[in-house]
Amino acid sequence: MTMSSTKDDKPQEKHPTEDANKKDPKVDQRREEERIFGEDIQEHAKYIERSVKTMESRYVARILRTIKGIRSKASDNLLRKAINKHLATDSPSKDRLLSFLDESMDIAEEGGDTVVEVRHKKTDLLEIEIYLHLLVLMHLLDSKRYDKAIACADLLIEKCEVNTKHSLDLLSAKCYYYYSRAYELSDRLRDIRSKLLARLRTCTIRHDEEGQAVLINLLLQNYLHYNLYDQANKLVSKAAFPEAASNNEWARHFFYLGRIRAIELNYSDAYQHLLQVHKFAIVVQLLLGEIPDRSIFRDRCLRRPLLPYFQLTQAVRNGDLARFNVVVDKFKSRFLANKTYTLIIRLRHNVIKTGVRMINISYSSISLEDIAKKLQLDSREDAEYIVAKAIKDGVIDAVINHESGTVESKENVDIYSTNQPQEVFNQRTSFCLQVYNQSVKAMRYPRKTYSDNVESAEGRREREQHDLELAKEMADKDDDF
């Protein structure tokens, strides 16, 4: 009876792979990465479909701005699953696209678990197919599989050449950029020059401005890579760079123009083109909420060209919206010529935030009407909205009293009740000690000084020996008396 109960109470043995699969954190992490990657691809596919239906290119532009995040998370396994999920089974290029990726390493093969496939309506949109193809090409370049990347890029460009839909303009421009990048990393830029020229003619006829900008810059890069400055100069003189190109393409174009003009000994024009790098950098730095280094504006060569940007920086730094508007109106033509006017208009929000912050520091309580006057806003409601947004974003620490229509700043925290003064004091002390140690290490002495010191030391020892002998003689004379 006892033996029977012992046999029944014996726990059943479990397969070791089941426990390992349930407790392995790596499997859970991979599943989470796969889920996030699939959701990002799904969201981008919806934007592409919306762009095709509404004929609005801004949705594709949004995708291309955020493609870097997906690119960093891509892997052969995740891309293979995305292709199988979104492309139709009878797609002519699906198998060819999958051939560029390594064989799938599914989670179910490692842990013995079952992966549940979510049913999704497969699409036959060419735009989504080219988007996935572009992701595969970027992944091959990141993993340094350049032979496969060139084959993948050739197949991708064949699709872009056959199809001339306007919904593919932005995607095609990005595809040609990475097409050239694949050949650049393989040192074969010479092989694609004729194809780039042919595509530039097509984009010019079709009024594809983004494609024109990208291809002109790619051709200039191609010529300059092989020091073909005459051909690059002819291209610049024959092909007009589109005015509606993005700021990134304009910056690249100015850089290439500067190099061409410098080789031609036209240093004044080269300097003007290369100066655009400083102008774009200053505006972007202001948009980031940072103040450019004052030494840039003090440079003797840059002082005059950067004068409008210096005044613009002062207005942003002080939060002076009136001064900002005056500077923008005064130098509008120069900003338009420099292609920075669109970015400068965005700085108005930064100026307002800075002004609200300075008002909050200066006044413990101020009415919304006064804020509207100081910031030159149209109404009290605009001031209330801006202050509320600043409070929500953590720009200022205040509350809005709707009954009295005032903004009341909260009491500032006593900084001496925290460890911040001690930390700052320690930083300054460490800096001073570091400067002292560096100055001691940097000290240099004349070469003869050491030998002079040695000789004086020997003379000092001789004088000491002489003094000892003299003292001994005087002591002996005292003993005689």
Side-chain angles (χ1 to χ4, degrees):
M1 189 71 178
T2 304
M3 293 178 61
S4 176
S5 61
T6 304
K7 183 177 181 180
D8 295 336
D9 295 337
K10 184 178 180 181
Q12 296 181 357
E13 296 182 356
K14 295 183 179 180
H15 199 274
T17 57
E18 297 179 1
D19 294 337
N21 187 29
K22 292 180 181 179
K23 299 180 180 180
D24 191 0
K26 295 183 179 179
V27 175
D28 296 335
Q29 182 179 359
R30 289 187 57 186
R31 286 175 177 168
E32 182 65 17
E33 293 175 356
E34 179 181 347
R35 183 187 65 80
I36 296 174
F37 186 83
E39 289 177 356
D40 292 339
I41 294 291
Q42 179 68 25
E43 183 181 4
H44 283 195
K46 290 181 180 179
Y47 277 119
I48 292 175
E49 292 175 358
R50 189 180 303 174
S51 176
V52 174
K53 290 180 182 179
T54 60
M55 296 299 294
E56 289 284 343
S57 61
R58 56 190 178 92
Y59 296 110
V60 177
R62 182 185 301 179
I63 291 172
L64 296 178
R65 285 196 299 267
T66 59
I67 199 172
K68 182 179 179 181
I70 291 184
R71 177 182 181 180
S72 61
K73 295 182 289 187
S75 65
D76 289 37
N77 187 34
L78 295 178
L79 289 172
R80 179 178 289 273
K81 290 184 178 182
I83 293 170
N84 289 324
K85 180 178 180 181
H86 291 276
L87 295 186
T89 308
D90 56 350
S91 178
S93 59
K94 179 179 179 180
D95 295 334
R96 183 72 184 277
L97 190 58
L98 291 172
S99 65
F100 297 117
L101 302 172
D102 296 336
E103 292 297 326
S104 178
M105 294 289 293
D106 198 32
I107 298 176
E109 298 176 4
E110 296 179 2
D113 199 357
T114 302
V115 178
V116 180
E117 288 287 338
V118 179
R119 293 186 178 181
H120 173 72
K121 183 180 178 181
K122 299 182 183 297
T123 182
D124 55 353
L125 281 179
L126 179 64
E127 289 80 2
I128 295 181
E129 181 179 343
I130 289 180
Y131 167 73
L132 293 173
H133 202 143
L134 179 61
L135 286 179
V136 173
L137 175 58
M138 295 166 69
H139 177 64
L140 292 175
L141 291 175
D142 292 340
S143 56
K144 299 182 179 180
R145 288 175 280 181
Y146 299 136
D147 293 335
K148 286 187 175 182
I150 289 178
C152 182
D154 291 336
L155 181 62
L156 179 60
I157 294 304
E158 290 177 5
K159 296 178 184 178
C160 295
E161 290 177 344
V162 173
N163 301 277
T164 58
K165 299 167 61 177
H166 281 288
S167 58
L168 286 172
D169 288 347
L170 294 179
L171 282 173
S172 297
K174 186 66 68 173
C175 292
Y176 272 92
Y177 174 82
Y178 285 101
Y179 170 69
S180 177
R181 181 61 177 165
Y183 277 84
E184 179 187 2
L185 294 174
S186 302
D187 198 15
R188 294 174 54 186
L189 278 177
R190 185 182 289 105
D191 300 340
I192 63 172
R193 193 179 302 156
S194 59
K195 184 166 291 189
L196 294 179
L197 286 169
R199 182 64 182 182
L200 177 59
R201 289 193 294 268
T202 303
C203 291
T204 304
I205 295 172
R206 296 180 60 251
H207 300 284
D208 180 7
E209 294 183 340
E210 186 66 18
Q212 286 180 258
V214 172
L215 289 165
I216 289 174
N217 286 335
L218 290 178
L219 284 168
L220 290 177
Q221 178 197 12
N222 199 309
Y223 289 133
L224 296 180
H225 181 76
Y226 296 102
N227 297 324
L228 302 175
Y229 289 94
D230 291 336
Q231 288 87 333
N233 188 28
K234 290 179 182 179
L235 176 64
V236 171
S237 61
K238 298 293 183 180
F241 199 81
E243 293 289 335
S246 62
N247 292 328
N248 294 333
E249 296 303 325
W250 269 112
R252 293 184 64 197
H253 190 66
F254 282 132
F255 173 71
Y256 294 139
L257 286 179
R259 290 182 57 185
I260 294 171
R261 299 296 180 248
I263 294 297
E264 294 176 344
L265 305 180
N266 192 352
Y267 296 126
S268 59
D269 290 347
Y271 176 75
Q272 292 298 326
H273 291 308
L274 294 176
L275 191 63
Q276 304 300 323
V277 179
H278 289 283
K279 296 177 180 178
F280 277 99
I282 290 171
V283 176
V284 172
Q285 194 172 1
L286 290 174
L287 287 171
L288 291 172
E290 302 175 357
I291 302 300
D293 191 359
R294 196 179 182 90
S295 60
I296 298 176
F297 306 104
R298 289 178 175 175
D299 188 272
R300 184 175 59 85
C301 299
L302 300 176
R303 186 180 304 166
R304 186 173 180 181
L306 295 183
L307 178 61
Y309 297 89
F310 176 66
Q311 297 182 11
L312 193 70
T313 302
Q314 287 181 322
V316 175
R317 183 177 180 271
N318 298 327
D320 191 349
L321 188 59
R323 180 61 178 168
F324 175 81
N325 293 331
V326 170
V327 173
V328 172
D329 294 338
K330 182 179 180 181
F331 300 102
K332 181 178 180 180
S333 59
R334 297 180 64 174
F335 293 148
L336 288 172
N338 297 333
K339 310 299 179 184
T340 57
Y341 182 76
T342 304
L343 294 176
I344 289 173
I345 293 300
R346 302 177 187 175
L347 285 173
R348 186 175 184 272
H349 181 65
N350 296 48
V351 177
I352 293 175
K353 286 201 306 183
T354 306
V356 171
R357 188 186 301 113
M358 297 185 69
I359 291 173
N360 179 68
I361 295 173
S362 302
Y363 298 90
S364 60
S365 178
I366 185 172
S367 64
L368 293 172
E369 288 81 4
D370 292 339
I371 294 177
K373 291 179 182 178
K374 289 181 178 296
L375 297 179
Q376 292 189 345
L377 302 176
D378 297 332
S379 62
R380 173 183 178 276
E381 288 75 17
D382 292 342
E384 184 176 359
Y385 170 78
I386 290 173
V387 172
K389 184 70 167 56
I391 294 173
K392 182 180 179 181
D393 295 341
V395 177
I396 61 174
D397 190 10
V399 292
I400 300 177
N401 191 338
H402 297 280
E403 296 180 358
S404 60
T406 58
V407 177
E408 300 174 359
S409 303
K410 294 183 179 179
E411 295 183 0
N412 295 328
V413 180
D414 184 11
I415 192 173
Y416 292 100
S417 63
T418 64
N419 294 329
Q420 186 174 357
Q422 181 181 357
E423 294 174 357
V424 173
F425 181 76
N426 291 336
Q427 291 177 359
R428 294 179 178 179
T429 304
S430 301
F431 175 77
C432 293
L433 292 174
Q434 185 178 3
V435 171
Y436 172 78
N437 293 332
Q438 291 177 354
S439 62
V440 170
K441 293 179 181 179
M443 292 177 68
R444 296 292 183 269
Y445 301 94
R447 302 185 66 178
K448 294 183 179 180
T449 304
Y450 179 73
S451 60
D452 294 342
N453 292 336
V454 172
E455 292 176 357
S456 62
E458 291 178 354
R460 188 165 47 253
R461 284 195 295 269
E462 292 178 357
R463 287 195 299 271
E464 291 176 354
Q465 184 66 25
H466 178 71
D467 293 340
L468 290 174
E469 293 177 355
L470 182 60
K472 186 176 180 181
E473 292 177 359
M474 291 177 66
D476 293 339
K477 291 181 180 179
D478 291 340
D479 292 338
D480 295 339
F481 290 108

